[in-house]
């Protein structure tokens, strides 16, 4: 109980490190979600709505990657960005962009797989209808995205939720550098190890609040759709 | 099987050795068939006889596995219109659902709106113009889908069980609207139906499909009431109970 009270005092106070951690977390989660969405959703729509040779195998690969362990993603990105790696010259390791890249590797298959699943439900009927009335094919992806918009917003929130709560990959490529790459999850780990429980609890409360907001929005959208 | 015709110029579509496989099973196999301009064809047959597949092939929604379809004078983007068995209703307003079937270049925004509302009126759903398309009942949705097709003059209408979800009043409105449309635009109609009385009312030619093959073709009274093929006779017995 003492830790909880101390944590609330921390939250109501003006702690610079706490603010920095929250800001870095939101920045990293926002950009990784945005980039994953821009890559994953159009590809997901294509996979969900088109028939092509090898589709079954591609979907299997995507589903496997949806469950990619974060530490494995972190390791891959670490090796790519390390000084001796193919992208070492960009010196991105232990920076927010490196964390964003690792998150994109993790979240894009999730966005792609869920979008393909959402799209495939209505694709056949929608495409037959739109082609039947002569709607140009270039408009099909836009129509599929629009018609699935409510579920796709939920997909986006799922991606954001994954990004904000992830710890393994960002720890490896971000390095948990104070005021630079420290995010809520890595900070909770560190502060717990140090025995600084009120700080860890304060971060935990913020993380839970953000998660609550995201889930409430997703649920509300779903309810609006059902109405 | 080819319908005897007087003038080759009257042919709108020719099917030549047309085949379609589905999971390695032949679901359509038509050696030869000519469909004439301005005619009204009803495709009749049991479930799985190939009616929907033939319509999808004619609409260009799916491609043949073998053979070819030759269209005569159906080159325009909007010459063919196809209504699938389960038409999709977009989540826009009902009016917008119809407007989207009228190309921008065809007319200005106000004219498109008027044209759409006229089509809705013909199908008796003008009161639903502001409702969301995806919130309509099955029958209303089917009428909306039909209004979308009738909002534009098409040279060929392909309808897959167009009134499977509509009630008697909806059927009457649809048939009336369709007849007026065909008379006005001199369009060719090809539709699949399980309602044989509808085939008699709307079609001048019935094509009976059995196991993917067009086994009989002729006036409705002949094909439906005096079938020559074994499949046709069995289908008629089943239909008559």
């Amino acid at each position: 109980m003492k830790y909880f009270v101390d944590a609330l005092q921390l939250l109501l106070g003006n702690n610079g490190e706490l603010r920095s951690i929250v800001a870095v977390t939101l920045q990293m989660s926002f950009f990784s979600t945005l980039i994953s969405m821009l890559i994953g959703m159009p590809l997901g729509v294509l996979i969900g709505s088109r028939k092509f040779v090898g589709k079954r195998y591609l979907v299997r690969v995507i589903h496997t990657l949806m469950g990619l362990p974060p530490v494995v993603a972190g390791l891959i990105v670490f090796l790519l960005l390390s000084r001796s790696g193919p992208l070492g010259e960009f010196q991105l390791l232990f920076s927010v962009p490196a964390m964003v890249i690792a998150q994109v590797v993790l979240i894009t298959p999730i966005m792609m797989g869920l979008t393909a699943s959402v799209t495939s439900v209505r694709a056949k009927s929608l495409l037959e209808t739109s082609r039947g009335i002569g709607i140009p094919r270039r408009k099909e992806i836009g129509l599929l995205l629009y018609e699935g918009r409510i579920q796709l917003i939920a997909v986006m929130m799922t991606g954001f939720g994954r990004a904000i709560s992830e710890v393994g990959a960002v720890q490896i490529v971000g390095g948990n550098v104070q005021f630079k790459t420290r995010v809520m999850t890595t900070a909770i780990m560190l502060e717990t190890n140090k025995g600084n429980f009120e700080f860890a609890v304060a971060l935990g409360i913020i993380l839970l609040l953000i998660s609550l907001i995201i889930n409430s929005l997703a649920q509300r959208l779903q309810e609006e759709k059902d109405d | 099987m080819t319908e005897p015709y007087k003038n080759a110029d009257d042919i709108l579509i020719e099917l030549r050795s047309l085949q379609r496989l589905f999971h390695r099973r032949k679901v359509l196999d038509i050696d030869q068939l000519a469909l004439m301009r301005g005619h009204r064809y009803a495709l009749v047959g049991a479930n799985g006889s190939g009616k929907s597949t033939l319509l999808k092939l004619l609409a260009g929604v799916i491609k043949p596995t073998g053979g070819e379809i030759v269209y005569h004078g159906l080159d325009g983007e909007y010459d063919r219109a196809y209504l699938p068995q389960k038409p999709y209703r977009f989540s826009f307003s009902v009016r917008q659902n119809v407007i989207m079937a009228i190309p921008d270049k065809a007319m200005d925004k106000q004219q498109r709106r008027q044209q759409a509302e006229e089509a809705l009126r013909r199908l008796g759903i003008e009161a639903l113009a502001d409702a969301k398309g995806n919130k309509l009942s099955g029958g209303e949705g089917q009428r909306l889908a039909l209004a979308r097709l009738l909002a534009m003059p098409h040279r060929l209408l392909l309808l897959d069980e167009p009134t499977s979800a509509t009630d008697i009043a909806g059927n009457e409105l649809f048939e009336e609207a369709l007849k007026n449309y065909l008379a006005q635009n001199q369009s060719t109609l090809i539709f699949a139906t399980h309602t044989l009385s509808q085939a008699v009312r709307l079609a001048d030619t019935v094509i009976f499909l059995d196991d993917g093959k067009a086994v009989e073709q002729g006036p409705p009274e002949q094909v439906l009431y005096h079938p020559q093929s074994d499949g046709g006779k069995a289908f008629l017995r089943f239909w008559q109970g």
Side-chain angles (χ1 to χ4, degrees):
Chain A
M1 190 64 190
K2 177 186 174 296
Y3 298 127
F4 189 73
V5 173
D6 290 346
L8 285 178
Q9 280 174 347
L10 252 174
L11 287 172
L12 297 171
N14 190 18
N15 188 301
E17 187 177 3
L18 197 71
R19 274 191 322 209
S20 160
I21 290 169
V22 173
V24 172
T25 307
L26 291 177
Q27 187 189 6
M28 176 202 67
S29 305
F30 173 78
F31 283 108
S32 50
T33 307
L34 182 72
I35 295 167
S36 303
M37 199 177 82
L38 292 174
I39 300 169
M41 284 191 174
L43 288 174
V45 168
L46 280 174
I47 293 164
S49 62
R50 300 288 195 269
K51 283 181 181 171
F52 52 88
V53 178
K55 176 174 174 172
R56 195 192 304 174
Y57 302 105
L58 179 63
V59 169
R60 204 174 293 169
V61 169
I62 292 168
H63 285 175
T64 305
L65 292 176
M66 283 170 82
L68 182 69
V71 284
V72 175
L75 177 66
I76 293 166
V77 176
F78 182 90
L79 293 173
L80 287 172
L81 300 181
S82 63
R83 200 172 291 177
S84 56
L87 303 173
E89 60 180 301
F90 296 107
Q91 296 185 333
L92 288 173
L93 210 55
F94 308 127
S95 69
V96 173
M99 293 153 75
V100 170
I101 292 170
Q103 295 280 32
V104 167
V105 170
L106 272 175
I107 304 165
T108 303
I110 296 174
M111 295 273 196
M112 213 184 289
L114 293 178
T115 303
S117 177
V118 162
T119 306
S120 63
V121 174
R122 59 171 62 79
K124 186 172 178 279
S125 164
L126 188 150
L127 295 181
E128 277 186 6
T129 300
S130 68
R131 287 172 191 178
I133 54 176
I135 292 174
R137 293 200 175 199
R138 64 176 187 278
K139 293 186 177 176
E140 285 175 355
I141 288 186
L143 277 173
L144 283 164
L145 283 170
Y146 182 80
E147 289 298 306
R149 63 195 178 282
I150 292 173
Q151 294 98 322
L152 292 179
I153 290 170
V155 169
M156 192 183 77
M157 286 173 179
T158 305
F160 187 83
R162 175 76 194 248
I164 207 166
S165 60
E166 202 285 312
V167 56
V170 291
Q171 174 78 41
I172 293 174
V173 299
N176 199 21
V177 182
Q178 193 179 23
F179 293 111
K180 192 183 171 199
T181 60
R182 187 163 295 171
V183 289
M184 285 194 268
T185 49
T186 55
I188 289 172
M189 271 181 63
L190 180 74
E191 299 302 335
T192 306
N193 286 339
K194 280 162 58 181
N196 194 1
F197 296 118
E198 63 277 1
F199 203 89
V201 170
L203 287 167
I205 291 169
I206 298 172
L207 206 51
L208 278 173
L209 279 174
I210 293 171
S211 182
L212 179 72
I213 293 166
I214 291 168
N215 281 311
S216 303
L217 284 171
Q219 195 179 351
R220 199 170 152 187
L221 281 168
Q222 195 56 46
E223 283 166 0
E224 275 177 23
K225 183 183 173 285
D226 293 342
D227 287 343
Chain B
M1 194 182 76
T2 309
E3 185 194 17
Y5 48 86
K6 289 175 183 170
N7 189 347
D9 292 341
D10 290 340
I11 299 175
L12 184 69
I13 303 168
E14 281 180 272
L15 311 185
R16 296 172 185 165
S17 308
L18 188 68
Q19 287 191 345
R20 171 73 189 187
L21 301 180
F22 186 70
H23 292 307
R24 295 180 187 169
R25 189 173 76 89
K26 209 179 274 182
V27 291
L28 198 75
D29 183 12
I30 297 177
D31 185 37
Q32 205 180 1
L33 183 68
L35 300 163
M36 313 303 284
R37 205 176 301 278
H39 279 235
R40 302 170 184 185
Y41 294 92
L43 304 178
V44 174
N47 286 335
S49 59
K51 305 185 295 293
S52 296
T53 304
L54 177 55
L55 285 172
K56 282 180 189 177
L57 285 164
L58 291 172
V61 170
I62 56 171
K63 290 189 170 73
T65 314
E68 61 175 340
I69 303 173
V70 182
Y71 299 95
H72 298 280
L74 283 173
D75 309 322
E77 209 176 343
Y78 295 91
D79 280 351
R80 280 181 282 172
Y82 164 65
L83 176 74
Q85 213 171 82
K86 289 179 183 164
Y88 188 84
R89 287 117 56 182
F90 294 92
S91 58
F92 315 123
S93 71
V94 166
R95 184 188 294 106
Q96 191 58 37
N97 261 274
V98 181
I99 288 175
M100 68 191 293
I102 308 169
D104 303 351
K105 55 193 169 193
M107 51 192 78
D108 67 33
K109 200 175 169 184
Q110 187 59 29
Q111 284 174 314
R112 290 170 78 204
R113 188 185 165 97
Q114 283 171 358
Q115 188 96 345
E117 285 175 352
E118 173 58 23
L120 292 173
R121 194 190 58 71
R122 271 185 259 157
L123 271 303
I125 49 169
E126 68 274 27
L128 299 170
D130 294 314
K132 295 276 184 199
N134 57 345
K135 302 289 179 196
L136 301 185
S137 70
E140 290 167 344
Q142 202 157 32
R143 284 206 243 174
L144 162 63
L146 291 164
R148 233 166 9 200
L149 255 63
L150 303 189
M152 272 286 288
H154 303 286
R155 300 175 79 172
L156 172 63
L157 281 185
L158 301 157
L159 314 179
D160 196 351
E161 297 183 33
T163 54
S164 58
T166 53
D167 55 15
I168 295 170
N171 274 3
E172 282 178 7
L173 271 169
F174 158 70
E175 289 183 13
E176 188 63 30
L178 185 65
K179 280 176 184 169
N180 290 337
Y181 177 91
L182 295 171
Q184 198 178 335
N185 298 297
Q186 301 296 305
S187 311
T188 304
L189 170 69
I190 306 172
F191 69 104
T193 185
H194 282 292
T195 313
L196 301 192
S197 54
Q198 186 174 62
V200 174
R201 286 194 300 274
L202 288 178
D204 53 34
T205 307
V206 167
I207 298 172
F208 182 75
L209 291 164
D210 185 27
D211 201 19
K213 290 182 164 56
V215 292
E216 284 196 54
Q217 179 182 351
E221 296 76 17
Q222 179 195 313
V223 175
L224 296 177
Y225 300 121
H226 307 287
Q228 301 301 306
S229 66
D230 293 341
K233 286 172 187 168
F235 182 72
L236 186 64
R237 273 199 303 277
F238 176 76
W239 185 63
Q240 287 172 333

